Amino acid sequence: ALVDREMAGLTPNPRVISLDSAQPEFSKPIGAYVNGVISADRIARGQRYRNDLPFWPEVEQRFGVPRDILIAVWAMESAFGAVQGDFDVVRSMSSLAYHGRRRAWAEGELIATLKIIQSGEAGRAQLKGSWAGAMGQTQFLPSNYISTAVDGDGDGKRDIWRSPNDALASAANLLAKGGWVRGQAWAREVTLPAGFDYSLTEGPKEAPAYWEGLGVKPADGRPWTAAEQAPGQLVAPAGADGPIFLLFPNHFAIRKYNNSTAYALGIGLLADAFAGGAPLVKPWPVETPLAISDRIGAQTALAKLGFNPGSPDGVVGVNTRTALRAWQKSRGLVADGYLSMEMVRRLNVEAGALPN
Ligand code: CA
């Protein structure tokens, strides 16, 4: 009866389907993305909230996630609750299931949405979200709402739409379930010695002492802290010309929210800014955005030269970066696995797609 009632007369939403299929022509370089995240206006607002909201001590004590991380999530997900999306979640999930690209996932989320309605916790009119079904001030999927949302303010309801306390306690619970370790740092900016072997980036997760042994040092010259005694993975997200980070388990907990290095770095660096942390020692390089044709061209060239990057889909993932590192290393280049415009040019020249 519930399905009949909620699905009666439902039609696919063409906007949801077109947004789900869209691939941007240009990818924003990570430095431009992160600099956009850490805006002065956002920092000022976040700093007000970290002092003004009364519920932080209780949320921090209960889940072990610092307020600055939660405020950064809040800022990024909904502009502090202001932009929650007004798509009907039942229709969005039905459209995504019907469209087929992510059918099993969307069907699961549709059933979760109907279960929320059945439970009486929130009605159809309340269940509004982004085109992809993320709901409320911290943009929870319906399945996350069921499994992970909590009542922060103690009124007996889990209202992630109207109660900042509920929404932020729920986000803290999601991060805690995703492996957030109470009292640990999320990352440290580091420097690498000359001639460092970049094939160690995106590689082993080891304690700072291991990395010190390879000449890796904190970029600001100050010692490691007790909060950093954890297995860290070295990354060079903008290549050898950009800042280098040692990422601790809490970085990977943030990625349970959105599995993107850029997103999780944005959250961490924004949180550091709320807490009054110093800017990066090494600024992000200013770069030319790569078009999708540049990325596919580089992948095609790598394959032609015998370095398999996986399917040439224009998405620069681990396979592409690994192939790029191997090619760079074999050519005596700094093997940072970072696809800059210069690397695109060199690859195309070598593969014969461009004149030398
Ligand atoms: Ca509540």
Side-chain angles (χ1 to χ4, degrees), residues 34 82 96 127 129 146 157 163 169 173 200 229 265 274 281 310 317 341:
V34 172
L96 292 171
L127 296 176
I146 290 175
K157 298 194 179 89
S163 163
N173 191 31
L200 289 167
Q229 299 310 314
L265 280 172
F274 293 153
V281 173
M341 196 59 103

Side-chain angles (χ1 to χ4, degrees), residues 229-243:
Q229 299 310 314
Q233 185 183 57
L234 201 62
V235 293
D241 293 334

Side-chain angles (χ1 to χ4, degrees), residues 150-160 163 165-167:
V150 293
D151 175 22
D153 58 20
D155 70 349
K157 298 194 179 89
R158 303 186 292 174
D159 189 347
I160 60 171
S163 163
N165 190 340
D166 285 7

Side-chain angles (χ1 to χ4, degrees), residues 6 13 78 81 83-93 113 116-117 122-142 145 159-162:
E6 298 300 334
N13 185 340
S78 68
V83 184
Q84 301 184 26
D86 58 359
F87 285 84
D88 171 28
V89 177
V90 169
R91 191 178 181 207
S92 289
M93 289 313 182
T113 314
I116 296 169
I117 296 172
R124 175 78 173 267
Q126 176 79 80
L127 296 176
K128 295 285 182 356
S130 72
W131 66 267
M135 312 184 299
Q137 304 204 13
T138 42
Q139 297 285 281
F140 267 33
L141 287 168
Y145 177 82
D159 189 347
I160 60 171
W161 297 271
R162 283 170 298 210

Side-chain angles (χ1 to χ4, degrees), residues 178-181 184-186 205 230-233 247-254:
W180 185 276
V181 184
Q184 271 186 12
W186 67 273
K205 293 179 176 171
Q233 185 183 57
L247 300 176
F248 299 116
N250 285 344
H251 167 89
F252 297 95
I254 299 170

